[in-house]
Amino acid sequence: MRTPEALRHRLNGFPRVRLGHFPTPLEEMERLGAHLSEELGRKIPALWVKRDDCTGVATGGNKVRQLEYSFGAAKAAGADTAVITGAVQSNYMRTAAAFAAKLGMECHVQLENRVEGMGEEYHKSGNVLLDRIFGARMHHFPLGEDEKAADTNLARIAERLKGEGRKPYLFTLSPDTKPTGALGYMQGAVELLEQAAADEIAFDAVVVPTGSAATHVGTLLGLRLAGYEGPVHGICVRRDAASQSERVRSILRLAEEMLSCGRIVEDDEVICRDDWLGPGYGKLVDSTREAIDLAGRLEALIVDPTYTAKSLAGLIGLTRAGTFAGMDNVLYIHTGGLPGLFAYRSALYPED
């Protein structure tokens, strides 16, 4: 039976470290909705936001949900050291460093140079500053778009740590590894549907960023397992739509295998849109700047250039295109990313 309660029972079989602040708020973005309705000269659905920027740990964000299960697995394995790779301004690494500090574990972060041409503030402020504050050991990796090479080098770091008597646990994001983090957004799907039921809201569509794909996969599979059948739109933040769709489908199969649930999501249910990606990961474009401006001025929401501004631009763009015509309520999942915004001050306000 596909219900939130049945999914919660299934998730109880996986180890979890509970550090997040849940449930996160569910709010209507009334001023943004009114702005777009006036601009378009027509009625649009009510636009809602699931405030996963408020998950609590180290300024919050979607990685908190993911890492509760990843660190649960690490602790169950007896690990005393977290070894993780990601972009220089990775929210994932910042949150992992915070989890490790809270749990008394050592943390090693490998910073991949994914965004070329960025200045000192990008490489030293924002999430990088927080990594240092949480006590993470820094390792720099010159490549930015070679996941296999990054994971190989991460394994070398882990081997050195083993030689020093540590018990490392590797946190990798490549599409052929067990997607433990996706469990966090299956739990998030349960939370969301229960909140919606309590508030008597029925969501006709969901919009979420899609990058490593743990959030996208967890949301889509979790919603299906909990009985929700509406579309889940993944807004690309790193790859083109074709490449990202292939990645999401691959990780979905691994997640279904992990849950022993059989095939739940069909290939054609995977929706990835790259219209707001621009030249690539972490690069500002006009739609990104507009999303940052509208979110701040109309809703006092903070969105970052890498993930949430691009996915919010996707929500705005799909609304303008009439994708949600005839719908009553559309949900946007705000996945956080506040610290990374400070690394883009010069790019956002070059005149200062």
Side-chain angles (χ1 to χ4, degrees), residues 303-316:
V303 291
D304 79 296
T306 304
Y307 296 98
T308 44
K310 290 190 177 182
S311 54
L312 184 62
L315 174 75
I316 293 167

Side-chain angles (χ1 to χ4, degrees), residues 1-11 14 182-183 185-187 189-190 193 217-230 232 252 255-265 269:
M1 188 174 182
R2 297 189 187 182
T3 64
E5 183 59 38
L7 177 54
R8 180 190 289 107
H9 179 75
R10 188 186 291 272
L11 293 173
F14 293 90
L183 296 168
Y185 269 87
M186 296 180 206
Q187 176 268 330
V190 172
L193 293 179
V217 167
T219 300
L220 178 55
L221 180 55
L223 287 172
R224 292 293 185 265
L225 285 168
Y228 175 84
E229 296 298 331
V232 176
L252 266 168
E256 289 168 339
E257 181 181 332
M258 182 173 62
L259 267 67
S260 301
C261 62
R263 188 165 182 139
I264 301 296
V265 181
E269 295 179 84

